[in-house]
């Protein structure tokens, strides 16, 4: 198949680089690579493959497809390593002496575990990234190893694939997924118009019906909800395998975290993207076949780890705007949120509210493990007596019901200012710390997955 666009000539950079990390993906690579070949994008394209210590026939399949792709005008760049285990060199001494040719030394600075409330989590290593500018391209230099030989997550493979690529735009692809022919074209058009956005798309699940409620959620979020619901799930509101963005913006935000097994590198990048003022956009067409299979859950991310990152982001991104707030849910999840907050944020909680008369009858919640004296005693109110702003700490369907109740209650009141950064309407000041209904795993490729519950 001859691509309509001319291949990149000598010294000419491709316009779009497809970023493809690979680890033991022989079952899906043929369909994945064929979908790259079938793109109807008329600009120049590059496929950047990083083989992360595959032990199956992945490299044989990649080499089989290489001439087909290059004959069609797609430049193919292949990197990787053959370490005994994936994600890099195995010892700390090798880290100190390792280099990335042409880009200088790599460094990593470890951190200790940090305790927040009653939750303890091993936070990622702080990665030092050096960006070497070369006209419109950049080489990302990151460390790729953990202490004591601990394997690092898929962020390493993604960073390496990006570092060896040269396109002005980055199209992320998991090795077990399949792109529709128009994906690169449509997402590139959107990214050109929105240079500081992560551009996603709708997906079709394979096999059909797997993670049905989660798939419906990611496909049906309204444009404004791509931002307002960033705290409602365990991952970004546009899923990582659909991401498309400019290289310049990625270099401004990134790289991906490489801090250790169990680190949600896509969620951490997404939060950093928002901190930098980035926007979120979705092309409302189904542009990716998104596979669900047992092998996909090889590196699970603990729910407690994600919870801790979400609470940190809530405290950083939203709570500073409020002098006080109410937690909607006096039950287990609401109390968990309260205990997870820093002492400064707990001081802002003026009440819990609920509809359960048994909880309301108790009158207050006492945080027995608090270091403060006297121990905090937080009132528990009926929701009709509570005052906004709210943090709704409930399952997503319950949160929707609560929003409807509040909307009905406030319909007879004069509209006030929107105090909620993530409020779902101008007169409903709340945040959602909700969780999706459980229907399986939120899969994001064969190397990095996490449960869909929060």
């Amino acid at each position: 198949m001859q691509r309509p666009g001319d291949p990149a000539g000598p010294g000419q950079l491709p316009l779009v680089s497809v970023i493809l990390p690979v680890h033991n993906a022989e079952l899906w690579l043929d369909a994945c690579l064929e979908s790259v070949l079938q793109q109807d994008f008329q600009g120049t394209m590059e496929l950047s493959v990083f083989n992360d210590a595959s032990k199956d026939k992945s490299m044989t399949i990649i080499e089989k497809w290489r001439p087909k792709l290059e004959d069609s005008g797609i430049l193919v760049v292949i990197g990787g390593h053959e370490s005994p285990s994936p994600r890099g060199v195995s010892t700390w001494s090798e880290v100190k002496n390792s280099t990335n040719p042409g880009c200088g030394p790599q460094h990593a600075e470890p951190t200790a575990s940090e305790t927040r409330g009653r939750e303890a989590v091993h936070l990622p290593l702080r990665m030092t990234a050096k960006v070497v500018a070369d006209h419109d391209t950049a080489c990302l230099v990151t460390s790729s190893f953990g202490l004591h030989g601990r394997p690092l997550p898929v962020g390493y493979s993604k960073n390496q694939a990006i570092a060896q690529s040269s396109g002005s735009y980055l199209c992320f692809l998991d090795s077990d997924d399949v792109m529709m022919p128009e994906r690169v074209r449509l997402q590139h058009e959107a990214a050109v118009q929105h240079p500081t956005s992560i551009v996603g798309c709708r997906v079709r699940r394979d096999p059909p019906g797997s993670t049905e409620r989660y798939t419906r959620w990611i496909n049906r979020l309204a444009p404004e909800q791509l931002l307002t619901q960033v705290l409602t799930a365990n991952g970004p509101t546009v899923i990582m395998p659909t991401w498309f963005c400019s290289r310049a913006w990625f270099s401004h935000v990134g790289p991906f975290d490489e801090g250790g097994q169990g680190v949600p590198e896509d969620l951490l990048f997404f939060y950093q993207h928002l901190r930098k003022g980035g926007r979120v956009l979705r092309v409302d067409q189904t542009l990716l076949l998104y596979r669900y299979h047992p092998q996909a859950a090889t590196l699970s991310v603990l729910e407690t780890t994600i919870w801790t990152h979400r609470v940190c982001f809530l405290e950083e991104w939203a709570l500073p705007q409020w002098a006080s707030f109410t937690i909607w849910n006096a039950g287990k999840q609401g109390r968990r949120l309260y205990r997870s907050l820093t002492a400064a944020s707990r001081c802002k909680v003026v009440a819990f509210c609920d509809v359960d008369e048994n909880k309301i009858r108790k009158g207050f919640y006492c945080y027995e493990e608090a270091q403060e004296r006297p121990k905090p005693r937080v009132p528990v109110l009926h929701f009709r007596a509570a005052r906004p702003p709210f943090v709704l700490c409930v399952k997503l369907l319950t949160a929707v019901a609560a929003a409807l109740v509040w909307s009905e209650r406030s319909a007879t009141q004069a509209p006030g200012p929107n105090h909620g950064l993530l409020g779902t309407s101008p007169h409903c000041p709340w945040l959602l710390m909700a969780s999706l209904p459980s229907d399986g795993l939120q899969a994001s490729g064969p190397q990095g997955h996490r449960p869909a519950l929060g």
Side-chain angles (χ1 to χ4, degrees):
M1 169 182 165
Q2 182 64 38
R3 288 173 46 76
D6 294 328
Q12 180 184 355
L13 299 177
L15 187 57
V16 175
S17 293
V18 177
I19 303 303
L20 182 63
V22 173
H23 176 67
N24 292 342
E26 64 178 359
L27 295 178
W28 313 284
L29 265 177
D30 279 312
C32 177
L33 294 173
E34 182 175 8
S35 76
V36 176
L37 183 65
Q38 296 297 327
Q39 291 302 298
D40 63 12
F41 179 61
Q42 296 195 20
T44 54
M45 277 179 55
E46 168 188 75
L47 175 65
S48 178
V49 179
F50 188 82
N51 175 39
D52 193 6
S54 295
K55 305 304 180 188
D56 62 0
K57 297 180 181 178
S58 292
M59 279 306 302
T60 301
I61 296 171
I62 291 167
E63 291 295 347
K64 177 186 73 175
W65 279 92
R66 184 173 192 163
K68 300 178 185 179
L69 292 162
E70 291 182 338
D71 287 347
S72 72
I74 300 174
L75 176 66
V76 179
V77 180
I78 301 174
H81 65 92
E82 298 180 357
S83 301
S85 61
R87 291 160 297 281
V89 183
S90 59
T91 66
W92 177 247
S93 62
E94 290 175 282
V95 174
K96 295 186 290 185
N97 298 319
S98 63
T99 60
N100 188 348
C103 297
Q106 307 177 44
H107 305 280
E109 180 184 359
T111 69
S113 64
E114 173 179 285
T115 301
R116 298 182 52 81
R118 298 177 64 188
E119 307 283 353
V121 61
H122 289 281
L123 296 181
L125 301 176
R126 294 195 297 269
M127 312 307 299
T128 301
K130 179 181 178 184
V131 180
V132 182
D134 179 14
H135 301 293
D136 293 331
T137 66
C139 178
L140 298 176
V141 185
T142 63
S143 64
S144 55
F145 321 105
L147 289 170
H148 312 303
R150 290 181 299 180
L152 299 188
V154 71
Y156 164 67
S157 300
K158 293 173 184 173
N159 285 336
Q160 294 300 313
I162 293 166
Q164 69 187 19
S165 71
S166 53
S168 299
Y169 292 88
L170 306 176
C171 176
F172 292 90
L173 177 63
D174 281 355
S175 56
D176 57 346
D177 293 335
V178 176
M179 298 192 290
M180 302 301 109
E182 62 273 24
R183 180 192 172 186
V184 171
R185 172 173 56 85
L186 293 179
Q187 288 192 296
H188 174 258
E189 290 173 357
V192 169
Q193 296 297 317
H194 303 274
T196 63
S197 290
I198 290 177
V199 180
C201 65
R202 289 179 173 169
V203 301
R204 175 164 56 90
R205 231 8 178 161
D206 181 53
S210 54
T211 65
E212 184 175 0
R213 286 177 289 182
Y214 172 68
T215 304
R216 184 165 59 245
W217 179 78
I218 59 178
N219 282 338
R220 294 185 181 180
L221 286 174
E224 64 274 9
Q225 291 176 315
L226 297 175
L227 180 62
T228 63
Q229 291 201 16
V230 296
L231 295 173
T232 66
N234 287 348
T237 49
V238 288
I239 59 173
M240 172 68 216
T242 72
W243 286 7
F244 193 109
C245 66
S246 74
R247 174 181 294 271
W249 184 251
F250 177 88
S251 299
H252 179 65
V253 175
F256 289 108
D257 195 288
E258 300 177 2
Q261 187 173 5
V263 171
E265 83 289 334
D266 56 343
L267 182 62
L268 295 180
F269 185 95
F270 192 70
Y271 285 168
Q272 184 66 4
H273 163 76
L274 296 175
R275 290 186 187 103
K276 297 277 189 177
R279 306 298 293 177
V280 187
L281 183 69
R282 186 186 65 216
V283 175
D284 282 332
Q285 294 192 39
T286 301
L287 303 180
L288 189 76
L289 180 69
Y290 185 34
R291 295 193 195 275
Y292 177 81
H293 51 84
Q295 296 93 322
T298 55
L299 281 183
S300 296
V301 179
L302 293 176
E303 187 274 335
T304 53
T305 300
I306 294 179
W307 173 268
T308 301
H309 286 300
R310 291 169 65 194
V311 173
C312 288
F313 191 65
L314 171 72
E315 292 188 298
E316 173 193 344
W317 203 45
L319 297 189
Q321 301 189 38
W322 295 347
S324 63
F325 64 95
T326 300
I327 295 177
W328 188 306
N329 186 357
K332 181 179 178 180
Q333 285 296 92
R335 298 194 303 268
R336 181 191 185 194
L337 173 61
Y338 180 83
R339 294 192 302 266
S340 299
L341 296 171
T342 62
S345 294
R346 288 198 300 268
C347 289
K348 294 185 176 184
V349 179
V350 294
F352 292 89
C353 73
D354 213 295
V355 296
D356 187 331
E357 292 294 342
N358 291 327
K359 296 172 185 174
I360 297 168
R361 196 174 298 118
K362 293 180 180 178
F364 64 89
Y365 166 68
C366 181
Y367 181 24
E368 296 290 349
E369 293 83 6
Q371 299 299 315
E372 303 98 304
R373 294 294 182 272
K375 295 178 181 179
R377 292 163 62 94
V378 184
V380 178
L381 308 175
H382 191 278
F383 77 91
R384 294 188 184 278
R387 301 298 301 172
F390 298 105
V391 174
L392 276 66
C393 194
V394 293
K395 287 188 178 295
L396 191 56
L397 295 179
T398 308
V400 172
L404 294 175
V405 170
W406 171 259
S407 298
E408 179 181 351
R409 165 188 156 175
S410 60
T412 59
Q413 299 177 355
N418 178 19
H419 299 288
L421 179 62
L422 304 183
T424 53
S425 83
H427 310 314
C428 299
W430 52 59
L431 286 164
L432 293 173
M433 279 291 289
S435 62
L436 291 172
S438 174
D439 62 0
L441 292 178
Q442 173 189 339
S444 59
Q447 298 194 56
H449 304 277
R450 62 184 63 93
L453 284 177

